[in-house]
């Protein structure tokens, strides 16, 4: 077994303001997902530091990170990652459960959030009874339900056809207009063009960082 | 998230996981079911045996000494034959004891034999007939259900009367009241003056409930001229039982006129000899029982552990998602612990559902009762098995790195 240390990211220095809508682009293996994991507090950097809302996250332990993720981060994955045995409502309730919200309150909030992504009539459907686009909407609702500081989406349209992909991006546009901070990883130039700032990564380094629109 | 919500969430998650894999859960549960059925039946049998023995023994009383020709526990045939050669214990000795013992509260000579008994057309053969005195009710700790016990006057040579054990009464009289009726014991008429309370258990089923008690003068006149008596001596205070036994032995030797150096030609028996033997036996049965149950539970527990490892591996991605969304280590640990415990508790409940009718069946052969304690122990044992065997898999799940878990295909 080789134990070669891979530095997926090096010398990345980055500042993202509240309310920004950022796209991260780069070839496969360039370190985009690694960056997202760090930003999402799923992982801590082996070196360097990361501050979220002025809180130093890079030195936190497992449980503290879990709490930060629950409060501050909303994840949207390429493969949706919904719990297969739970219906849409329960999937969306999950972050509220972990936040300790009372059953009545979390049901209300979850239903409202599902309605806001246009799924008011699908709350009791299990993931396998929903289309890909609908699944990703459930995932968006789940990411939003705790009113996090950042929405992180790693190739959210990667498993969708272009039409549903456009729909999801429309949803993001609305969220951004409502003041949410959004970071999207994507391969597609067209999708990146919908954001306000594009960061390009190559071999673990930031190649460019430009504001558009 | 407080512990209560975590428990509730864990329960609902594990319930849906169990339902999602019905066959697998059923097969896993089977191991636990077998283990718990063994625990329950073993416990039931042992405690049934214990309690019925204890009630019988204590109904007779630990404070009673029994003077017999030979010891209850003869260790060899030779000893038994020797005992047989000893002079019989006579009524005169009983009277001597009653006069001279200072630490005794009651002395009852007891002779017994078997005889046929008739009431009108009904007939019972080989009924145990006990010739005794009014003190018998005290030494044996009996209670009268109807009528009265033999009186002192009757025991000093009065009319032919008798007292029936509860089973003897129902055998002869069915539902009717026996009081004042005449029965024939070995063709001699006796008037029934009382019926005893049912004893049940070893003592009752073993004969006390089906015997008929008559005064000694009637016994010697009609049934056996010169019987060998057993003399029951109830001591005044249980704490003095050792002293009372010593006194009894001295008085017996004096009455028998044994010179110093000559061995006793009688024996003083005591309940606790029985108890000692019984405890030894029960201890052995218990050890074997614990070993067998332990083994089957161990096998069941391994099954649970195995299936929980599979469950954790299968749901690696789910664990990743839950962690990404904010589940802490404790939450994940608890979720899988609850799942393992639920499977085991379910197994425990199924096992009790099986053990309950089994105990009823068992009760036909030997005293057995499914007590709340055993139910509690069975459920506790299944819970502990679940938690113990689920811990390693749950710990592995709790410690997973969310990034790796999410990357899992
Ligand atoms: N757990 C790991 N162990 C070793 N190397 C890793 C690990 N995770 C990522 N890498 C490496 O780090 C680099 C960046 O990976 P990352 O997943 O961030 O790429 P990416 O930009 O998201 O690619 P893609 O567009 O294909 O998703 C890759 O070279 C990858 O092989
Ligand atoms: Mg990636």
């Amino acid at each position: 077994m080789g134990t070669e240390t891979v530095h997926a990211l090096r010398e990345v220095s980055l500042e993202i303001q509240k309310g920004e809508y950022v796209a991260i682009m780069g070839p496969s293996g360039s370190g985009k997902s690694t960056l997202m994991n760090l930003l999402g507090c799923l992982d801590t950097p082996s070196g360097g530091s990361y501050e979220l809302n002025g809180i130093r996250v890079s030195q936190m332990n497992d449980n503290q990170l879990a709490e930060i993720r629950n409060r501050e981060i909303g994840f949207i994955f390429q493969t949706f990652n919904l719990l297969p045995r739970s219906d849409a409502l329960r999937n969306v309730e999950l972050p509220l459960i972990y936040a300790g919200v009372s059953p009545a309150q979390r049901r209300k909030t979850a239903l409202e959030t599902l309605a806001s992504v246009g799924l008011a009539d699908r709350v009791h459907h299990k993931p396998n009874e929903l289309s890909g686009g609908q699944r990703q909407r459930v995932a968006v609702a789940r990411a939003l339900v705790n009113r996090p500081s950042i929405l992180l989406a790693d190739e959210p349209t990667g498993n969708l056809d272009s039409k549903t992909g456009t729909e999801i991006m429309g949803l993001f546009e609305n969220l951004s207009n409502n003041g949410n901070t959004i970071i999207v990883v994507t391969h597609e130039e067209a999708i990146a063009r919908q954001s306000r700032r594009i960061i390009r990564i190559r071999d673990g380094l930031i190649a460019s960082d430009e504001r558009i629109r | 998230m407080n512990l209560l919500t975590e428990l509730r969430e864990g329960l609902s998650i594990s319930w849906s996981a169990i339902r999602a894999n019905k066959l697998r859960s059923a097969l896993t549960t089977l191991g636990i079911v077998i283990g718990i059925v063994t625990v329950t039946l073993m416990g039931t049998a042992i405690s049934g045996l214990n309690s019925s023995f204890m009630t019988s023994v204590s109904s007779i009383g630990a404070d009673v000494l029994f003077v017999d020709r030979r010891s209850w526990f003869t260790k060899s045939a030779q000893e038994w034959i020797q005992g047989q050669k000893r002079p019989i214990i006579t009524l005169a000795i009983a009277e001597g004891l009653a006069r001279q013992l200072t630490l005794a509260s009651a002395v009852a000579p007891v002779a017994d034999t078997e005889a046929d008994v008739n009431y009108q057309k009904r007939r019972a053969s080989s009924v145990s007939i006990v010739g005794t005195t009014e003190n018998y009710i005290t030494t044996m700790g009996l209670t009268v259900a109807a009528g009265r016990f033999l009186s002192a006057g009757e025991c000093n040579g009065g009319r032919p009367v008798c007292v029936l054990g509860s089973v003897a009464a129902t055998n002869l009289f069915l539902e009717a009241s026996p009081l004042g009726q005449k029965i024939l014991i070995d063709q001699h008429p006796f008037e029934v003056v009382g019926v005893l309370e049912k004893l049940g258990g070893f003592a009752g089923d073993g004969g006390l409930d089906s015997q008929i008690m008559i005064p000694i003068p009637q016994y010697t006149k009609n049934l056996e001229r010169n019987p060998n008596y057993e003399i029951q001596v109830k001591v005044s205070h249980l704490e003095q039982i050792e002293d009372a036994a010593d006194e009894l032995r001295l008085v017996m030797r004096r009455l028998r006129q044994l010179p110093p150096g000559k061995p006793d030609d009688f024996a003083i028996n005591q309940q606790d000899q029985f108890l000692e033997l019984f405890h030894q036996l029960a201890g052995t049965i218990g050890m074997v029982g614990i070993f067998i149950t332990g083994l089957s539970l161990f096998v069941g527990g391994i099954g649970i552990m195995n299936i929980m490892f599979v469950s954790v591996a299968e749901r690696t991605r789910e664990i990743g998602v839950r962690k990404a969304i904010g589940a802490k280590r404790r939450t994940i640990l608890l979720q899988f612990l609850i799942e393992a415990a639920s499977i085991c508790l379910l197994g425990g409940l199924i096992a009790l559902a099986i053990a309950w009718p089994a105990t009823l069946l068992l009760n036909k052969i030997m005293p057995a009762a499914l007590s709340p304690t055993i139910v509690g122990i069975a459920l506790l044992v299944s819970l502990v098995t679940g938690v113990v065997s689920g811990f390693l898999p749950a710990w592995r799940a709790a410690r997973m790195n969310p990034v790796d878990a999410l990357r899992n295909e």
Side-chain angles (χ1 to χ4, degrees):
Chain A
M1 281 268 287
T3 49
E4 184 191 350
T5 310
V6 177
H7 291 280
L9 290 172
R10 279 167 294 156
E11 294 170 39
V12 170
S13 182
L14 187 60
E15 195 163 319
I16 294 172
Q17 303 296 328
K18 235 186 187 79
E20 274 193 275
Y21 184 1
V22 183
I24 297 176
M25 296 198 69
S28 189
S30 55
K32 306 185 294 291
S33 295
T34 308
L35 179 58
M36 288 296 254
N37 290 341
L38 290 177
L39 294 178
C41 304
L42 281 171
D43 220 345
T44 47
S46 44
S49 80
Y50 170 38
E51 273 184 27
L52 174 62
N53 281 345
I55 307 166
R56 231 177 136 89
V57 175
S58 36
Q59 244 101 65
M60 284 186 165
N61 69 25
D62 250 34
N63 281 338
Q64 289 167 321
L65 287 175
E67 218 164 289
I68 293 282
R69 287 197 295 269
N70 183 250
R71 258 204 334 259
E72 313 284 353
I73 316 282
F75 288 100
I76 298 156
F77 302 94
Q78 179 175 355
T79 52
F80 321 133
N81 277 338
L82 299 175
L83 299 187
R85 282 193 298 273
S86 308
D87 62 14
L89 177 61
R90 191 154 167 91
N91 266 291
V92 176
E93 275 186 329
L94 205 59
L96 298 172
I97 292 175
Y98 291 137
V101 177
S102 77
Q105 181 60 45
R106 73 180 184 233
R107 192 184 158 85
K108 184 167 165 280
T109 315
L111 285 172
E112 282 168 8
T113 315
L114 273 167
S116 77
V117 298
L119 283 178
D121 55 345
R122 291 285 188 278
V123 292
H124 291 304
H125 287 238
K126 299 241 170 94
N128 62 6
E129 299 159 351
L130 295 168
S131 73
Q134 287 167 333
R135 285 184 214 185
Q136 198 59 301
R137 281 164 192 267
V138 175
V140 172
R142 181 177 67 186
L144 283 174
V145 77
N146 255 6
R147 315 204 133 275
S149 308
I150 320 176
L151 277 181
L152 293 176
D154 196 345
E155 312 214 21
T157 58
N159 276 16
L160 301 175
D161 59 45
S162 59
K163 185 170 160 286
T164 28
T166 313
E167 274 172 36
I168 294 291
M169 291 322 290
L171 209 57
F172 279 28
E173 178 71 37
N174 287 341
L175 291 170
S176 171
N177 290 340
N178 291 339
N180 287 286
T181 313
I182 305 176
I183 305 173
V184 182
V185 166
T186 183
H187 280 315
E188 293 174 53
E189 197 64 39
I191 285 174
R193 285 279 145 216
Q194 299 191 24
S195 70
R196 312 276 146 75
R197 176 180 171 191
I198 300 179
I199 298 170
R200 292 177 202 275
I201 297 189
R202 190 155 296 131
D203 297 331
L205 294 163
I206 294 184
S208 73
D209 184 348
E210 52 174 325
R211 276 166 211 282
I212 54 172
R213 292 206 282 166
Chain B
M1 185 155 70
N2 65 30
L3 203 63
L4 203 73
T5 8
E6 273 188 44
L7 283 176
R8 206 176 42 216
E9 285 308 315
L11 266 178
S12 98
I13 293 167
S14 64
W15 181 237
S16 75
I18 289 169
R19 271 194 322 188
N21 297 296
K22 286 195 191 70
L23 182 63
R24 190 166 85 188
S25 307
L27 289 176
T28 318
T29 312
L30 196 63
I32 295 298
V33 168
I34 292 170
I36 297 296
V37 165
T38 329
V39 171
T40 316
L41 289 186
M42 201 68 77
T44 306
I46 291 174
S47 86
L49 218 62
N50 245 323
S51 72
S52 83
F53 190 86
M54 290 311 277
T55 50
S56 333
V57 164
S58 64
S59 74
I60 298 170
D63 53 354
V64 182
L65 300 166
F66 299 79
V67 183
D68 294 284
R69 238 191 325 181
R70 52 169 193 276
S71 163
W72 287 345
F73 303 96
T74 39
K75 290 179 188 69
S76 64
Q78 207 178 355
E79 205 180 317
W80 194 84
I81 292 164
Q82 233 161 27
Q84 240 11 42
K85 283 188 202 149
R86 290 171 173 177
I88 61 168
I89 293 173
T90 63
L91 207 51
I93 290 188
E95 283 156 5
L97 287 181
R99 259 196 317 276
Q100 298 185 30
L101 289 178
T102 58
L103 298 175
S105 63
V107 175
V110 180
D112 68 338
T113 185
E114 288 184 351
D116 292 348
V117 179
N118 293 64
Y119 170 66
Q120 294 173 350
K121 289 209 181 69
R122 226 164 275 135
R123 173 192 159 86
S125 50
S126 305
V127 179
S128 158
I129 311 292
V130 174
T132 186
T133 67
E134 72 280 6
N135 288 334
Y136 185 65
I137 193 167
T138 316
T139 55
M140 290 301 278
L142 303 171
T143 345
V144 174
R148 57 175 178 83
F149 198 69
L150 305 171
S151 73
E154 285 157 353
C155 295
N156 287 327
R159 332 177 268 130
V161 293
C162 67
V163 172
L164 306 181
S166 63
V167 173
T170 38
N171 281 349
L172 288 169
F173 291 90
L174 306 180
E175 299 292 304
S177 166
L179 294 183
Q181 302 296 326
K182 285 245 160 35
I183 60 170
L184 294 177
I185 300 177
D186 202 19
Q187 302 312 321
H188 306 287
F190 281 81
E191 185 192 330
V192 180
V193 295
V195 178
L196 295 182
E197 199 78 64
K198 188 171 174 64
L199 275 176
F202 273 171
D205 298 339
L208 277 177
D209 279 342
S210 38
Q211 68 188 13
I212 296 177
M213 287 130 280
I214 60 175
I216 284 180
Q218 295 295 335
Y219 184 91
T220 50
K221 188 174 128 201
N222 297 316
L223 294 172
E224 201 180 354
R225 185 161 301 278
N226 260 322
N228 171 42
Y229 291 92
E230 174 189 68
I231 303 172
Q232 302 182 346
V233 178
K234 190 181 174 74
V235 304
S236 313
H237 303 286
L238 185 57
E239 316 83 73
Q240 296 179 339
I241 192 147
E242 298 300 322
D243 296 340
D246 288 343
E247 184 195 32
L248 179 58
R249 181 158 173 262
L250 282 175
V251 176
M252 273 303 289
R253 287 185 68 91
R254 204 153 60 218
L255 291 169
R256 279 283 173 92
Q257 296 172 340
L258 292 175
K262 236 186 135 190
D264 294 350
D265 57 359
F266 57 89
I268 295 171
N269 291 308
Q270 232 176 304
Q271 294 289 354
D272 51 357
Q273 290 170 296
F274 251 143
L275 278 181
E276 219 168 279
L277 192 76
F278 176 75
H279 282 313
Q280 263 173 23
L281 196 72
T284 317
I285 295 174
M287 289 307 284
V288 173
I290 287 169
F291 181 73
I292 294 172
T293 28
L295 207 65
S296 63
L297 268 177
F298 184 71
V299 173
I302 297 274
I304 295 284
M305 192 184 288
N306 201 6
I307 224 65
M308 287 311 294
F309 271 126
V310 172
S311 183
V312 167
E314 271 181 358
R315 282 146 73 189
T316 303
R317 223 189 157 90
E318 175 191 324
I319 296 164
V321 173
R322 286 181 186 278
K323 288 201 142 192
I325 283 171
K328 295 184 181 163
R329 281 188 179 185
R330 187 181 76 170
T331 314
I332 301 290
L333 182 80
L334 222 60
Q335 175 190 329
F336 283 96
L337 274 188
I338 289 174
E339 186 171 325
S342 303
I343 292 179
C344 287
L345 258 185
L346 208 66
L349 288 173
I350 295 172
L352 285 175
I354 293 172
W356 184 58
T359 327
L360 294 185
L361 275 180
L362 194 66
N363 199 24
K364 298 213 188 304
I365 315 166
M366 59 184 286
L370 193 59
S371 69
T373 322
I374 294 174
V375 171
I377 288 176
L379 291 180
L380 191 74
V381 166
S382 40
L383 195 70
V384 168
T385 310
V387 171
V388 167
S389 47
F391 189 81
L392 229 55
W395 183 239
R396 173 182 282 186
R399 285 179 38 115
M400 273 182 189
N401 175 337
V403 178
D404 296 337
L406 278 169
R407 200 179 281 135
N408 186 278
E409 292 303 323

